[in-house]
Amino acid sequence: MNGTVTIVTGGAQGIGRTIAAFLAEKGSDIAVFDIQDGADVCAEIRALGRECRFYSVDVTNTEITKEAVNQAARDFGKIDNLVNNAGITRDNLLLRMKEEDWDLVLNVNLKSVFNCTKAVIKHMLRTGGGIVNISSVVGVMGNAGQVNYSSSKAGMIGLTKSVAKEYAERNIRVNAVAPGFISTKMTDALEEKAREEVFKAIPLKRLGESRDVAYAVYFLLSKYGNYITGEVINVNGGLHM
Ligand code: NAI
């Protein structure tokens, strides 16, 4: 990915940070879009010898996102790739779920992908490009207590396939990665009994690492994914096949 420029949303921490750092290791310069400070991830990336800029962006805001994408294109001279990774959960059973938690999750997880993709595609029309959307196994198989989250993640898959069809003739490839249980602060907090239950359901009998997600993102954005578009890659240890 030498010399490419990649925007990673939600790149200040967690899986997004790992993706940003791994793509930098593979030669890409990185624009981090986040509502949290991205100074740490940018320091990590610069130490790898790549350029990194942080943009304070709430990706649910259409105008601010568009301006930030245009600014990044001016700063770096181009945009080759976009990773739509920013996401949140607000879990509850359907009957207890508040309308505001439905709206918030749909906005952060799905509307943001519309905002970022629309703003970025304009810069890829002549050059081609790659987009990877971080969905979830829950978007593929559903999950009790996550009606808002699973709907947003399933929506990302529909968006992925539709945008892939619209812009394939421009050599813009659009794919999704659907992670299962990944070892993060959230899953570290699981109690022993809950952890055992999770392991029982996963054929590989372990949680995934953020880096496992980053490998799939790299594969899709690099030349190795050159003939792949509209695809969803499961990174879930076999939890759903
Ligand atoms: P995280 O909570 O550690 O990181 C999410 C990042 O997104 C944070 O840096 C946060 O500041 C940023 N963000 C949130 N709202 C934003 C907004 N409005 N605008 C800009 N940035 C915003 O989450 P994690 O665990 O790293 O997850 C990353 C992605 O992977 C999410 O889309 C999540 O749904 C997905 N995923 C995570 C799994 C897991 O096991 N952790 C499993 C499957 C999917």
Side-chain angles (χ1 to χ4, degrees), residues 212-232:
D212 296 323
V213 180
Y215 296 149
V217 173
Y218 168 63
F219 169 72
L220 288 168
L221 291 178
S222 71
K223 65 179 179 188
Y224 303 113
N226 202 27
Y227 199 51
I228 302 176
T229 196
E231 187 55 81
V232 183

Side-chain angles (χ1 to χ4, degrees), residues 32-97:
V32 173
F33 282 20
D34 208 304
I35 45 173
Q36 284 193 68
D37 186 31
D40 284 355
V41 62
C42 277
E44 183 183 345
I45 287 168
R46 289 194 196 107
L48 294 166
R50 302 310 320 182
E51 194 179 339
C52 181
R53 284 171 188 255
F54 168 65
Y55 301 83
S56 178
V57 189
D58 177 349
V59 287
T60 65
N61 186 309
T62 308
E63 262 321 294
I64 287 175
T65 301
K66 195 167 103 184
E67 277 168 28
V69 165
N70 291 340
Q71 188 59 49
R74 283 194 292 275
D75 292 341
F76 287 92
K78 60 173 182 166
I79 296 167
D80 300 295
N81 306 303
L82 166 67
V83 182
N84 283 305
N85 162 83
I88 59 164
T89 52
R90 290 289 182 278
D91 299 348
N92 221 330
L93 295 172
L94 175 67
L95 287 179
R96 292 190 196 143
M97 189 172 285

